[in-house]
């Protein structure tokens, strides 16, 4: 078969290929950015979930056992920071409870609650 | 008639583009929904512990209260405890609101050891945005007589009368959650 008789549809023209690459480029770049973004969003969700679980675990334990003023909660709950303010009955001893703030280490989750002292046997719930 | 077959690559490319866009949009939507759900879950957790803390605080305050009753019965002590619980403005902290005005407090006498059961319905508005918790609890309190003293007084007629004064204090309390309703206002507005 001579070159002159070659079918005009064989292969793609250079213009077609270049146009296709350009169009794909316009789409693939934002698509990849979107995918990367969604991976980051997923990672953030997982981070929040872990923080929430850690905070819940600490709060549930403290509500059940009560707060011990001398307790080492930094070692016991390394993923959270526990802050307690004593609630004194009419401004004097004994401490009837603690206003408790439990914050995840990243600061994503912060929970405020009230717990009883450990010596009182914890919460009534 | 000559058929023109050029330009098919553009159609293939467009199909690929549409499929890619659909996949990426789907993945992004799922990721964002996941994040929103997680954030709502955190709000609920915060509201939940604030509400439980408010109830715990109420019990702690109740246990420190002592009520005296003169020549009265246990019912008067219960009434006093109820009035005290409803009238404690310091239970309402800035971060949470225990709506004691709406508190329904119903006492039920029990036969065993004179224990008393109070049914306390507490709507709690928490400081957590868009989250409100309505909790129905059964608060079981155990008032006991701390002191009992009898004094003899002489009336005008010269007749001796005995006045008995009893001091009641709550020795223990246990809370059972009977219903738990979390009203997520953000979710409700999304649905409408």
């Amino acid at each position: 078969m001579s070159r002159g008789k070659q079918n005009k549809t064989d292969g793609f023209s250079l213009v077609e290929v270049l146009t296709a690459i350009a169009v794909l480029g316009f789409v693939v770049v934002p698509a990849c950015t979107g995918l990367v973004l969604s991976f980051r969003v997923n990672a953030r969700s997982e981070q929040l979930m872990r923080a929430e679980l850690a905070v819940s675990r600490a709060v549930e334990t403290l509500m059940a056992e009560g707060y011990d003023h001398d307790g080492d909660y930094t070692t016991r709950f390394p993923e959270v920071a526990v802050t307690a303010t004593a609630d004194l009955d009419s401004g004097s001893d004994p401490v009837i409870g603690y206003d408790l703030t439990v914050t995840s280490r990243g600061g994503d989750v912060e929970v405020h609650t009230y717990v009883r002292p450990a010596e009182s046997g914890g919460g009534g719930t | 008639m000559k058929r023109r077959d050029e330009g098919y690559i553009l159609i293939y490319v467009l199909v690929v583009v549409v499929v890619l866009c659909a996949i990426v949009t789907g993945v992004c939507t799922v990721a964002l929904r996941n994040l929103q759900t997680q954030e709502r879950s955190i709000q609920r957790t915060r509201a939940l512990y604030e509400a439980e803390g408010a109830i715990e605080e109420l019990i702690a305050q109740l246990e420190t209260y002592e009520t005296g009753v003169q020549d009265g019965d246990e019912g008067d002590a219960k009434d006093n405890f109820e009035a005290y619980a409803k009238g404690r403005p310091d239970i309402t902290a800035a971060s949470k609101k225990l709506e004691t005005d709406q508190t329904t407090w119903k006492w039920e006498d029990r036969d065993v050891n004179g224990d008393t059961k109070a049914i306390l319905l507490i709507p709690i508005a928490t400081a957590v945005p868009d989250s409100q918790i309505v909790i129905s609890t059964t608060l079981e309190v155990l008032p006991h007589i701390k002191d009992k003293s009898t004094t003899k007084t002489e009336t005008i007629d010269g007749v001796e009368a005995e006045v008995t004064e009893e001091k009641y204090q709550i020795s223990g309390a246990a809370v059972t959650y009977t219903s738990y309703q979390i009203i997520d206002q953000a979710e409700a507005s999304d649905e409408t």
Side-chain angles (χ1 to χ4, degrees):
Chain A
M1 189 192 287
S2 71
R3 257 182 112 83
K5 286 181 181 174
Q6 198 173 5
N7 195 333
K8 278 184 86 177
T9 59
D10 284 353
F12 301 118
S13 72
L14 182 64
V15 178
E16 273 185 309
V17 171
L18 287 176
T19 314
I21 289 170
V23 171
L24 269 178
F26 276 121
V27 173
V28 166
V29 172
C32 284
T33 314
L35 280 177
V36 169
L37 190 75
S38 65
F39 287 138
R40 282 186 189 162
V41 168
N42 269 334
R44 174 80 181 140
S45 297
E46 200 178 319
Q47 188 188 359
L48 287 176
M49 189 183 71
R50 284 177 193 279
E52 188 189 358
L53 279 175
V55 168
S56 292
R57 193 171 70 91
V59 173
E60 288 291 344
T61 307
L62 288 166
M63 285 185 107
E65 293 177 1
Y67 179 79
D68 182 3
H69 186 68
D70 301 318
D72 182 11
Y73 295 113
T74 315
T75 313
R76 201 165 164 205
F77 306 115
E79 293 161 315
V80 298
V82 179
T83 319
T85 313
D87 180 14
L88 300 170
D89 178 30
S90 309
S92 61
D93 279 338
V95 177
I96 60 166
Y98 291 91
D99 284 313
L100 192 81
T101 306
V102 179
T103 316
S104 64
R105 285 284 171 211
D108 297 318
V109 184
E110 189 177 271
V111 164
H112 301 277
T113 191
Y114 187 95
V115 292
R116 309 295 292 279
E119 56 266 27
S120 76
T125 51
Chain B
M1 198 164 107
K2 193 177 175 185
R3 195 172 156 216
R4 286 175 62 87
D5 290 333
E6 299 104 326
Y8 268 94
I9 190 168
L10 273 177
I11 292 167
Y12 297 146
V13 167
L14 285 175
V15 169
V16 170
V17 162
V18 169
V19 171
L20 260 179
C21 283
I23 290 170
V24 171
T25 310
V27 170
C28 285
T29 309
V30 168
L32 282 172
R33 288 242 163 189
N34 201 7
L35 184 67
Q36 280 175 346
T37 308
Q38 193 54 49
E39 280 172 347
R40 275 188 191 152
S41 167
I42 289 170
Q43 280 198 347
R44 283 179 185 184
T45 304
R46 283 177 58 200
L48 174 92
Y49 289 127
E50 273 198 12
E52 287 187 357
I55 292 173
E56 204 64 51
E57 194 174 354
L58 172 68
I59 296 167
Q61 303 270 5
L62 267 176
E63 283 180 2
T64 62
Y65 178 63
E66 197 175 273
T67 182
V69 176
Q70 264 194 4
D71 279 341
D73 57 11
E74 201 182 297
D76 293 335
K78 291 170 199 166
D79 290 344
N80 288 348
F81 279 119
E82 182 185 342
Y84 172 77
K86 286 184 176 179
R88 284 299 295 259
D90 53 332
I91 288 170
T92 306
S95 61
K96 60 209 172 258
K97 197 177 171 199
L98 193 67
E99 293 174 0
T100 45
D101 288 348
Q102 292 175 39
T103 302
T104 313
W105 190 294
K106 198 171 90 187
W107 295 93
E108 280 179 7
D109 287 325
R110 289 171 60 192
D111 298 331
V112 187
N113 301 324
D115 294 350
T116 303
K117 186 194 261 183
I119 297 167
L120 188 65
L121 301 166
I122 315 174
I124 298 173
T126 63
V128 179
D130 301 328
S131 276
Q132 192 184 9
I133 290 189
V134 179
I135 303 173
S136 292
T137 61
T138 301
L139 176 66
E140 210 165 330
V141 291
L142 313 174
H144 74 285
I145 301 169
K146 196 184 173 194
D147 286 317
K148 192 173 181 178
S149 59
T150 309
T151 49
K152 286 182 180 176
T153 53
E154 206 167 296
T155 58
I156 305 160
D157 305 335
V159 182
E160 236 179 25
E162 280 188 351
V163 177
T164 309
E165 189 176 328
E166 291 169 347
K167 276 189 179 170
Y168 285 86
Q169 193 173 27
I170 289 178
S171 60
V175 176
T176 315
Y177 292 91
T178 46
S179 82
Y180 222 106
Q181 194 187 357
I182 300 172
I183 303 161
D184 196 330
Q185 281 150 1
E187 210 165 60
S189 62
D190 282 353
E191 283 167 9
T192 51

